[in-house]
């Protein structure tokens, strides 16, 4: 699959580990930065990943900031984007089954690489259930 990835300085280290993991797993990665620990603004990186999803250049996105909160808020401002801040395995599953999330979000200061790998694997293989959940996600769009 093609995966678009982006992070601010709070997520930079975790992002690099994830990019390597995705490549080793056979995925194509669109790495939108950031590429150092210099301070940057998370909405800029949310926008780059959002664009890849909206333009269907990538199937899923991965966004990381320090807490995961700011970059989730930024991504979810955009039409067609359902970015889920995932902190456990059940959220990884439910965000796909019930919310058809297209971006998985982590807090780089709160989620380890080992945890993130598990959540990503679950996120990628879990299908959206549709049905009543489709009506609900359609109502999200304004
Ligand atoms: C940056 O220090 C931090 O504020 C940012 O990564 C994020 O946690 C914001 O929600």
């Amino acid at each position: 699959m093609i995966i678009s990835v982006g992070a601010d300085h709070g997520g930079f280290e975790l992002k690099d580990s994830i990019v390597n993991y995705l490549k080793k797993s056979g995925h194509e990665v669109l790495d939108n930065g950031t590429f150092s620990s210099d301070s940057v603004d998370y909405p800029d990186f949310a926008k780059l990943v959002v664009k890849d999803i909206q333009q269907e250049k990538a199937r899923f996105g991965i966004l990381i900031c320090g807490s995961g909160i700011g970059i989730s808020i930024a991504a979810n401002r955009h039409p067609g984007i359902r970015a889920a801040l995932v902190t456990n395995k059940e959220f990884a599953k439910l965000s796909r089954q019930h919310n058809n999330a297209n971006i998985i979000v982590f807090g780089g200061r709160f989620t380890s690489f080992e945890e993130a790998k598990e959540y990503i694997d679950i996120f990628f293989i879990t299908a959206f259930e549709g049905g009543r959940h489709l009506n609900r996600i359609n109502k999200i769009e304004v």
Side-chain angles (χ1 to χ4, degrees):
M1 277 192 297
I2 304 177
I3 312 297
S4 177
V5 179
D8 76 355
H9 53 288
F12 156 69
E13 273 185 36
L14 179 59
K15 188 224 6 134
D16 268 10
S17 303
I18 288 173
V19 166
N20 289 334
Y21 173 65
L22 292 174
K23 285 180 179 169
K24 267 191 215 152
S25 306
H27 298 292
E28 187 180 328
V29 180
L30 308 178
D31 186 351
N32 287 293
T34 186
F35 298 104
S36 80
S37 55
D38 295 347
S39 183
V40 290
D41 300 329
Y42 58 79
D44 297 333
F45 299 89
K47 280 179 190 162
L48 294 170
V49 171
V50 159
K51 202 187 263 186
D52 284 342
I53 302 296
Q54 288 176 327
Q55 295 180 350
E56 297 184 0
K57 289 183 182 161
R59 171 65 183 94
F60 289 124
I62 299 176
L63 282 172
I64 313 164
C65 69
S67 64
I69 296 170
I71 212 159
S72 302
I73 293 171
N76 279 314
R77 299 278 303 181
H78 298 271
I81 296 301
R82 291 173 300 280
L85 175 54
V86 166
T87 57
N88 62 57
K89 288 190 267 185
E90 196 60 17
F91 283 12
K93 194 167 157 189
L94 285 170
S95 67
R96 292 285 311 127
Q97 284 180 331
H98 289 190
N99 311 114
N100 200 15
N102 44 21
I103 299 180
I104 186 168
V105 183
F106 300 122
R109 297 180 182 138
F110 297 88
T111 298
S112 70
F113 175 49
E114 290 306 313
E115 290 168 329
K117 280 194 294 187
E118 273 194 301
Y119 306 160
I120 288 168
D121 288 347
I122 294 167
F123 189 87
F124 284 179
I125 62 161
T126 306
F128 178 48
E129 284 179 359
R132 67 187 189 282
H133 301 297
L134 180 59
N135 298 336
R136 291 167 185 163
I137 66 166
N138 285 339
K139 286 186 178 184
I140 293 171
E141 296 295 328
V142 288

